Amino acid sequence: MAHKLNFLLLAALALQAKRVRGNEPAVESAAEEPKHTVQLPQFTPYTVPGAALWEQFIGELEPQWKRSRASKQDKDEDRYDGEWAVEEIEELAGIAGDKGLVVKSEARHHAISTRLDKPFDPAHNGLVLQYEVKLQKTLNCGGAYAKLLASPMNNEFSDATPYVVMFGPDKCGESKVHFIYRHLNPVTGEYTEHHLEQPPTPPADSLTHLYTLSIRPNNTFAIMIDGTERKSGSLLENFTPPVNPPKEINDPKDKKPADWVDEESIPDPDATKPEDWDEDAPAMIPDEDAVKPKDWLEDEPLMIEDPKAEKPADWDDEEDGDWAPPMVPNPRCAEADGCGPWTRPQKRNPEYKGKWAPPLIDNPAYKGKWAPRRIANPDYFEDLDPYKLTKIDAIGFELWTMQSGITFDNIYLGDSAKAAEQIAEEVWKPKHDSELAVREALNPRPAQKTESKLSGVLDLFKVRFGDIAASVTGFYARVQHEGLVEAVRQDRSGAIAVVMAVGGLAWLAWNMLSVVSFVLGLAQPAAQPAQAPAEDKSDAKAAAEASTSARADTDSGAAVKRKGKKSSS
């Protein structure tokens, strides 16, 4: 059973590793980029008429963008001290002279925002948010998501600043593209976060990737990565919790009565133990059908004194005690089925029944499974147009990251899907194609070699274990800076990775103990097996040799005892 469990676990890890490797492109090396001969296109400013925001980071960082120096909510010691810069791309640049907004600090909280010229209202025609993300360094734990901040934005930007939509990639434990929108409950006056179910997985290489979110007036949404739709659905159906609460809820004041019986079955009170039921009968009994092998040498000892042994010349009886030759296996036992006293092997007792217990019967007092009564939900409402979100005053990036080099560029906010498509075709695609050419020039594909299946499997395991290690590291970093509860809430897959890591270590320790127990078992005297007259002699010989070794150890100990007694006298 144990080897089957091991096989299933290894197969599951290999399958998961293959999935991860298939969905996530290979991570680029963080080594210094060598020279290449690709002629890069020159940056040219691009205009987008009618956009609520179109940002290409042509000018200086400030005053257009404002860095936050606030502290995280309820955590004065966690300040937004991460640095930002507007600068040209250093790693795998695709456009000459192109600049972006770059995260410059590692293991820091970062927050930066820019106000719109005027509040943007999604209630008119929905919204489209699109921007580029480039990871100039391998990202183990960090976010690259944007927040559309609610109007009016009065205070310095922080995690406490109300937002309308949070969208973009995140890798700290589980890799996913966040899509969260906040909706106002008209009954309670409170905002609720609604998280997209089964979000898509972002790419993890060093190319520039384009993330697009469209929220339409028919309450549908679409998420695209690099112009390809990766997720779509309804604001009313694909989020947790649902935007509209249930009409009825369990009555919180309803309590289960003390005399409520919810046990379906009970022991039969009229049942009695049968007279022939023997609770003391042993589970195992000697096998009366077993027969001692004909050539079993019952009077022969398993161990004898070594006839070739000689007393050492420097042995002093007075100092060293009485000398006795060492014990060796009896050679006669090796030629027979066994030596020493023969005992019958054990077999299962057909009369064994164990402890008696009365059978179960239907409980006549059973009332069914108790459940609280349902009442009308006092906070119930029905909003059939959740796309009509709160007005947006600003856009910002509020991130925690263990690596620097996260770069943002070509940010568009508006209500035109056509404008976003044009930006993708005329701005992002030329840059992306140029980066592919540069990468190909820097890393030409080697001649294809046939790799062994074992090598491929090992590579898959490396990818998966590396991913789990990164998840554990990221989750630990979140715990340190945000606390355990918040870390579990924000990074459930990181918590799962910790459980997987602990379980994996326990599994490894269990297997090691199994190996050790097996090895030690080989060194122990084997129990006499059930033997038939025509049984193969090899097992009996092995048992005889094992018993011989054990007796040799005993006799050697006796010699040491005699030696000690002589010395003390």
Side-chain angles (χ1 to χ4, degrees):
M1 183 64 181
H3 71 279
K4 290 182 179 179
L5 291 175
N6 290 340
F7 174 78
L8 290 175
L9 179 58
L10 293 173
L13 285 173
L15 185 62
Q16 181 68 0
K18 186 174 183 179
R19 182 189 68 80
V20 172
R21 194 171 188 176
N23 290 344
E24 296 187 4
V27 178
E28 297 291 328
S29 170
E32 183 178 353
E33 184 177 329
K35 302 297 181 181
H36 62 83
T37 58
V38 177
Q39 186 67 35
L40 300 181
Q42 190 67 34
F43 171 76
T44 303
Y46 188 84
T47 58
V48 183
L53 174 70
W54 171 241
E55 178 63 82
Q56 289 192 290
F57 299 101
I58 297 175
E60 298 296 325
L61 178 66
E62 296 178 314
Q64 181 67 22
W65 288 80
K66 182 181 178 182
R67 285 177 288 191
S68 174
R69 298 300 181 186
S71 298
K72 289 182 69 67
Q73 186 178 21
D74 301 326
K75 294 182 179 180
D76 293 337
E77 69 277 7
D78 289 340
R79 300 187 63 83
Y80 292 100
D81 53 359
E83 295 298 326
W84 299 82
V86 171
E87 61 185 24
E88 292 190 23
I89 306 302
E90 297 180 356
E91 300 293 332
L92 201 64
I95 303 292
D98 187 24
K99 294 182 179 180
L101 176 63
V102 183
V103 173
K104 301 297 293 181
S105 307
E106 298 182 350
R108 293 288 187 273
H109 293 282
H110 300 73
I112 194 168
S113 62
T114 184
R115 288 183 178 272
L116 307 181
D117 293 337
K118 62 179 181 179
F120 175 75
D121 190 357
H124 293 156
N125 298 304
L127 70 81
V128 178
L129 170 62
Q130 178 174 276
Y131 66 100
E132 296 174 358
V133 176
K134 183 181 182 67
L135 306 178
Q136 298 192 62
K137 295 183 180 180
T138 300
L139 185 64
N140 292 326
C141 177
Y145 42 82
K147 287 184 175 181
L148 302 181
L149 307 178
S151 177
M153 179 183 172
N154 298 320
N155 300 319
E156 193 166 10
F157 182 34
S158 73
D159 62 330
T161 303
Y163 69 88
V164 180
V165 169
M166 176 173 146
F167 170 71
D170 184 18
K171 182 180 181 181
C172 209
E174 179 185 7
S175 294
K176 61 183 174 182
V177 178
H178 286 288
F179 175 21
I180 307 170
Y181 72 91
R182 298 176 76 243
H183 182 270
L184 177 64
N185 184 320
V187 177
T188 64
E190 298 179 351
Y191 282 89
T192 305
E193 291 183 356
H194 303 276
H195 296 246
L196 175 62
E197 298 173 343
Q198 300 178 350
T201 300
D205 56 28
S206 60
L207 297 172
T208 297
H209 293 284
L210 186 67
Y211 294 87
T212 308
L213 169 65
S214 298
I215 298 178
R216 308 182 184 103
N218 62 357
N219 297 304
T220 63
F221 72 91
I223 294 175
M224 293 186 288
I225 301 178
D226 298 345
T228 301
E229 185 176 291
R230 298 288 298 277
K231 183 76 175 182
S232 62
S234 169
L235 298 177
L236 293 164
E237 299 173 359
N238 300 107
F239 289 80
T240 302
V243 63
N244 292 316
K247 292 183 178 181
E248 292 185 340
I249 60 172
N250 292 334
D251 185 355
K253 298 180 180 179
D254 190 18
K255 305 298 181 182
K256 184 171 73 170
D259 60 348
W260 188 277
V261 178
D262 51 11
E263 295 177 346
E264 295 185 40
S265 301
I266 59 172
D268 185 355
D270 298 326
T272 57
K273 184 174 69 173
E275 294 182 1
D276 60 347
W277 191 288
D278 186 0
E279 292 185 343
D280 298 325
M284 303 294 290
I285 58 174
D287 185 359
E288 298 297 334
D289 296 329
V291 179
K292 182 175 70 174
K294 292 181 179 179
D295 57 350
W296 187 280
L297 306 178
E298 194 159 6
D299 296 328
E300 283 288 338
L302 291 172
M303 304 292 291
I304 62 172
E305 293 182 352
D306 186 356
K308 299 179 180 179
E310 296 182 357
K311 181 179 178 181
D314 59 349
W315 187 278
D316 187 339
D317 289 341
E318 293 184 357
E319 294 293 332
D320 301 325
D322 296 333
W323 179 83
M327 306 298 288
V328 296
N330 188 343
R332 295 195 61 189
C333 294
E335 299 172 357
D337 280 327
C339 291
W342 180 81
T343 57
R344 296 181 183 278
Q346 297 284 305
K347 70 172 186 179
R348 286 189 176 277
N349 184 359
E351 302 299 326
Y352 174 74
K353 296 181 179 180
K355 287 292 183 181
W356 180 84
L360 296 177
I361 61 171
D362 292 340
N363 188 352
Y366 176 62
K367 295 183 178 181
K369 294 296 182 183
W370 184 86
R373 63 174 170 267
R374 304 284 288 178
I375 61 172
N377 185 354
D379 297 331
Y380 173 74
F381 67 90
E382 186 177 36
D383 183 355
L384 298 180
D385 291 315
Y387 82 91
K388 295 180 179 179
L389 299 167
T390 304
K391 291 182 180 181
I392 298 165
D393 207 19
I395 183 172
F397 298 97
E398 187 259 321
L399 313 169
W400 159 263
T401 177
M402 293 295 293
Q403 284 76 38
S404 60
I406 302 174
T407 305
F408 305 96
D409 199 6
N410 295 322
I411 305 172
Y412 169 75
L413 175 62
D415 57 15
S416 174
K418 183 177 180 180
E421 291 174 3
Q422 290 178 336
I423 294 170
E425 184 66 25
E426 300 175 16
V427 180
W428 169 78
K429 192 174 186 302
K431 178 191 293 188
H432 187 260
D433 292 345
S434 179
E435 290 177 348
L436 288 174
V438 172
R439 187 173 70 174
E440 180 68 21
L442 295 174
N443 304 288
R445 295 181 181 180
Q448 189 171 2
K449 297 181 180 180
T450 302
E451 297 183 357
S452 67
K453 293 184 178 180
L454 177 60
S455 175
V457 171
L458 291 177
D459 288 343
L460 294 177
F461 278 120
K462 289 178 183 177
V463 171
R464 186 53 182 154
F465 286 129
D467 190 61
I468 292 176
S471 298
V472 172
T473 302
F475 182 76
Y476 177 71
R478 278 190 185 270
V479 170
Q480 282 190 312
H481 290 85
E482 300 178 4
L484 179 59
V485 175
E486 184 66 18
V488 172
R489 191 178 73 87
Q490 294 288 342
D491 186 10
R492 294 181 181 176
S493 87
I496 293 173
V498 172
V499 174
M500 288 179 62
V502 173
L505 291 174
W507 170 77
L508 181 61
W510 175 69
N511 277 276
M512 292 178 66
L513 287 174
S514 298
V515 172
V516 171
S517 299
F518 175 74
V519 173
L520 293 177
L522 293 178
Q524 296 297 323
Q528 300 297 342
Q531 312 242 359
E535 186 181 4
D536 188 357
K537 296 182 179 182
S538 58
D539 293 340
K541 291 179 180 179
E545 291 173 2
S547 301
T548 297
S549 300
R551 191 171 295 178
D553 294 340
T554 305
D555 292 342
S556 298
V560 173
K561 266 189 183 178
R562 292 196 297 270
K563 174 182 172 181
K565 289 181 179 180
K566 186 72 174 178
S567 298
S568 61
S569 60

